[in-house]
Each structure stands twice: as C-alpha cells, then as structure tokens.
C-alpha cells in the first residue's frame, strides 16, 4: 500500500472505535505514532454483505477532516470514487462515519484505511504527505451473513416496578423473539 507521512507530529487521532459490526476495532494513542502511521491490520472489523457499522474518531489538534476507504478490489489502491466509504470535516474533535458493506462484496479480507488531517476544509488523501494528521489501517473481514440478524434500535420506555415497554427494529425475518 502507498506511503503516508506528515511534516508535523502535534495533531493526531487519539481514539478510534467501530460499533455495529459483528466484531469491532479499538485504537487509542497519547501521541502521533511514528511516521504518523499505525498498522493495526491485526485488528479485524467483521461484517457481512449489506452489513453496516460506524467508525468514531477523536482528533487532538483542532478542526479536521476524516476519510475512510476500503480496498474492495484488493488492488492495493484506495480509489476515491469507488472505495471511499465516508468523509466528514468540521471543528468538532469527534466524528462518526457510517459505513456499509456492498451487497456485491465477496467473502474475504480487505484493507480499511482511516486518515485524519488538520484543517477546517481538510479532505485527506489516502496517500502522500500532509502537514498534520494520522493514518491507521485495519482489516475488514467480510463473512457470510448470520442466520439470525440481531435487532437494532433497542429502546425501553414506560419503565415501572413490574413492567416496561420494549421496542426494537427487526433486521431479518424473525416473527418471534425471546426476551
């Protein structure tokens, strides 16, 4: 994969976690890694075709932009047209980018790159040098969909001593649930 670097090391991703996948990744740092790059490909985010997940990053140093790519064709290139799965830029330190595995994604492992860059209009490139920022690579493993998809949007309401109202979104075809 292409090389990345920064000319300054003061700004960096201090935290990155995924959620909503079958298995998630977690990264923390108290300074920019050597060369502003961290190879975290031993950490595996697992999902399935049509599966969704969120990537939440926290950046130290001010306004920033964050891009997330997945090398879906495993050609060692992160294409901005077909492989950029999410982008956010703002003055907020924390950002959440929602990703989805395409229905056409083959079962297998893919490189996922997260890159943050300092600046109120930053749009970090997948490769090359920027003034401030961090790049982190993970593995995204696409597996067969589970036979029984977990529900989402779980909510509790009207909680009383002996009762509660429970609601959720069914993500599969289940018609009966065990509570």
């Amino acid at each position: 994969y292409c090389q990345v670097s920064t000319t300054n090391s003061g700004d960096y991703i201090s935290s990155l976690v995924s959620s909503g996948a079958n298995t998630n990744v977690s990264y923390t740092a108290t300074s920019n890694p050597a060369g502003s790059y961290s190879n975290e490909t031993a950490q595996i985010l697992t999902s399935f075709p049509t599966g969704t997940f969120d990537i939440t990053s926290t950046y130290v140093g001010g306004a920033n932009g964050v891009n997330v790519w997945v090398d879906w064709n495993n050609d060692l290139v992160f294409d901005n047209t077909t492989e950029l799965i999410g982008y956010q830029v703002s003055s907020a330190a924390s950002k959440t980018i929602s990703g989805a595995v395409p229905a056409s994604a083959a079962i297998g492992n893919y490189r996922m790159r997260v890159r943050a860059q300092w600046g109120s209009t930053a749009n970090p490139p997948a490769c090359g040098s920027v003034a401030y920022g961090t790049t982190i690579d993970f593995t995204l493993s696409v597996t067969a969909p589970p036979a029984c998809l977990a529900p989402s949007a779980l909510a509790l309401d009207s909680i009383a001593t002996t009762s509660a109202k429970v609601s959720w979104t069914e993500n599969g075809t289940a018609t009966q649930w065990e509570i």
Side-chain angles (χ1 to χ4, degrees), residues 26-41:
S26 178
Y27 168 86
T28 58
T30 56
S31 63
N32 214 352
S36 72
Y37 173 75
S38 186
N39 183 347
E40 297 291 324
T41 55

Side-chain angles (χ1 to χ4, degrees), residues 112-153:
M112 180 174 70
R113 175 162 287 181
V114 179
R115 191 167 198 198
Q117 177 184 1
W118 173 82
S120 60
T121 60
N123 185 10
C127 305
S129 182
V130 296
Y132 294 92
T134 303
T135 305
I136 309 168
D137 284 354
F138 297 95
T139 297
L140 170 61
S141 182
V142 176
T143 61
C148 181
L149 295 171
S152 60

Side-chain angles (χ1 to χ4, degrees), residues 18-119:
S18 66
S19 59
N22 293 11
T23 59
N24 292 290
V25 296
S26 178
Y27 168 86
T28 58
T30 56
S31 63
N32 214 352
S36 72
Y37 173 75
S38 186
N39 183 347
E40 297 291 324
T41 55
Q43 289 197 56
I44 302 172
L45 184 148
T46 306
S47 192
F48 52 89
T50 72
T52 60
F53 54 89
D54 290 333
I55 301 289
T56 301
S57 65
T58 302
Y59 189 82
V60 172
N64 64 94
V66 177
N67 282 343
V68 179
W69 298 265
V70 176
D71 184 13
W72 293 120
N73 59 5
N74 282 323
D75 67 351
L76 307 179
V77 175
F78 296 105
D79 182 275
N80 277 338
T81 304
T82 59
E83 297 177 328
L84 179 66
I85 66 168
Y87 164 72
Q88 277 193 16
V89 63
S90 72
S91 60
S94 293
K95 293 172 181 50
T96 299
I97 295 173
S98 296
V101 178
S104 61
I107 304 299
N109 291 334
Y110 303 89
R111 174 84 51 122
M112 180 174 70
R113 175 162 287 181
V114 179
R115 191 167 198 198
Q117 177 184 1
W118 173 82

